């Protein structure tokens, strides 16, 4: 019995220390026939844990404990799921199964093809439908958005001719042209170095304790996960923005399409 108890303790310790689903699973040893052998429970439990999906609340607490500032892809702020993904599109339009959809293969309108072709290379691939924050398109867009914000002086999402000319004048420093060094100084790829002996910059984001309190108060979201893909959204009733009436989700069922958008709009 002592050996069985030891096996259960080892199994519990492995379960607690097992890596999350977002980490690479380690090779699993073949199951042993001896049920009194602790390694049998070790192998079996590690195999099952690798197949489990972490609940969103566990993802969030784990990210906060590791110092996350709740950026894209951290905690439960991961990419969305859609039934109309690349597999769905390729199954219908990739006639020769080469991983690309040409305009000739695509049977929809031309303007829809242009909208789906995000990199404008004339074909549709899985990269065009990858909307995650780790996609090549997102990574390539980060520098351009950063540079755009530096030129867009009034932050209205547009660069006027006056703003462009002003940015040119700042970068040229009195010259009538720009050099590669001018552009490098105008659009730095990293923050300026700290002077020797200067203290490191303080973390401007909320502390882990603040984030945990916000999680408990519901400011970061609910402990309960929402419906999965294909499941019916739970019914709810809310007041309109002006407070004149209440709207209930179920009153639209079977009448018209309804789009629910969740997020901060402040």
């Amino acid at each position: 019995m002592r050996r069985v108890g030891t096996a259960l303790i080892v199994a519990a310790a492995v379960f607690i220390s097992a890596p999350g689903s977002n980490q690479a699973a380690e090779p699993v040893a073949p199951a042993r026939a001896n049920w009194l052998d602790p390694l049998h429970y070790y192998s079996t439990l590690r195999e099952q844990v690798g197949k489990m999906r972490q609940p969103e609340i566990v993802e969030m607490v784990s990210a906060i404990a590791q110092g996350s500032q709740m950026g894209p892809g951290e905690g439960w702020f991961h990419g969305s799921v859609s039934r109309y993904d690349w597999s769905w599109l390729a199954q219908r339009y990739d006639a020769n199964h080469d991983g690309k959809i040409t305009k000739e293969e695509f049977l929809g309108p031309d303007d829809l093809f242009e909208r789906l072709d995000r990199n404008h290379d004339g074909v549709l691939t899985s990269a065009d439908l990858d909307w995650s924050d780790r996609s090549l398109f997102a990574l390539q867009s980060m520098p351009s958005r950063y540079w755009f914000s530096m030129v867009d002086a009034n932050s209205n999402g547009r660069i006027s001719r006056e703003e462009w000319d002003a940015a040119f004048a700042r970068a040229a420093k009195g010259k009538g042209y720009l050099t590669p060094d001018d552009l490098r100084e105008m659009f730095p790829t990293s923050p300026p170095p700290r002077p020797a002996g200067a203290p490191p910059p303080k973390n401007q984001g909320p502390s882990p304790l603040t984030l945990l309190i916000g999680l408990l108060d519901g400011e970061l979201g609910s402990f309960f996960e929402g419906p999965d893909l294909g499941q019916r959204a739970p019914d709810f009733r809310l007041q309109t923005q002006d407070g004149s009436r209440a709207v209930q989700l179920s009153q639209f069922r079977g009448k018209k399409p309804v789009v629910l958008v969740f997020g901060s709009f402040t």
Side-chain angles (χ1 to χ4, degrees):
M1 293 300 293
R2 178 176 297 179
R3 195 173 184 183
V4 174
T6 303
L8 294 177
I9 293 174
V10 171
V14 170
F15 181 81
I16 295 174
S17 61
S21 60
N22 60 337
Q23 297 179 354
E26 297 180 3
V28 179
R32 296 174 179 265
N34 188 354
W35 290 93
L36 297 180
D37 189 343
L39 292 180
H40 169 76
Y41 298 95
Y42 175 90
S43 302
T44 303
L45 194 56
R46 289 300 291 268
E47 182 180 0
Q48 296 304 317
V49 168
K51 299 177 182 179
M52 294 173 60
R53 183 184 70 85
Q54 281 189 346
E56 289 185 346
I57 183 62
V58 175
E59 292 181 332
M60 183 62 87
V61 173
S62 176
I64 293 175
Q66 296 175 19
S68 169
Q69 293 298 304
M70 298 297 99
E74 300 178 352
W76 58 37
F77 297 109
H78 40 65
S80 59
V81 181
S82 172
R83 64 167 61 98
Y84 304 112
D85 55 6
W86 167 251
S87 299
W88 180 90
L89 194 68
Q91 184 179 3
R92 286 158 176 77
Y93 298 114
D94 186 10
N96 57 3
H97 306 289
D98 63 347
K100 301 178 181 179
I101 300 176
T102 64
K103 284 189 176 182
E104 291 73 22
E105 293 175 312
F106 189 72
L107 304 180
D110 292 340
D111 58 341
L112 179 57
F113 184 93
E114 297 297 332
R115 292 177 59 187
L116 293 175
D117 184 15
R118 291 197 296 171
N119 59 3
H120 307 294
D121 62 352
V123 294
L124 301 181
T125 65
S126 59
D128 290 309
L129 273 70
D130 184 0
W131 295 96
S132 69
D133 297 298
R134 300 294 187 266
S135 68
L136 179 61
F137 181 85
L139 295 176
Q140 291 175 339
S141 299
M142 289 180 185
S144 61
R145 291 180 180 275
Y146 172 63
W147 298 333
F148 186 95
S149 64
M150 297 183 65
V151 180
D152 183 18
N154 58 6
S155 302
N156 67 345
R158 299 180 179 87
I159 295 178
S160 64
R161 180 60 181 269
E162 291 76 14
E163 291 172 327
W164 185 259
D165 290 341
F168 181 94
R170 290 195 305 270
K173 300 182 181 65
K175 304 189 303 293
Y177 57 88
L178 294 176
T179 66
D181 287 338
D182 294 330
L183 292 178
R184 177 180 55 80
E185 295 175 2
M186 181 180 180
F187 302 122
T189 57
S190 61
R194 289 188 291 113
K202 296 182 179 180
N203 185 5
Q204 300 299 323
S207 66
L209 178 60
T210 301
L211 292 175
L212 285 175
I213 293 176
L215 188 63
L216 295 174
D217 291 342
E219 295 181 9
L220 294 182
S222 171
F223 280 24
F224 305 98
E225 297 190 21
D228 289 331
L229 185 66
Q231 291 182 338
R232 176 175 291 181
D235 195 19
F236 60 85
R237 184 179 181 87
L238 292 174
Q239 292 288 329
T240 58
Q241 186 175 10
D242 58 5
S244 60
R245 61 190 179 94
V247 177
Q248 190 161 347
L249 179 63
S250 58
Q251 74 186 62
F252 299 101
R253 185 170 296 148
K255 298 180 180 179
K256 60 177 67 175
V258 177
V259 178
L260 302 178
V261 181
F262 301 93
S264 176
F265 298 93
T266 57

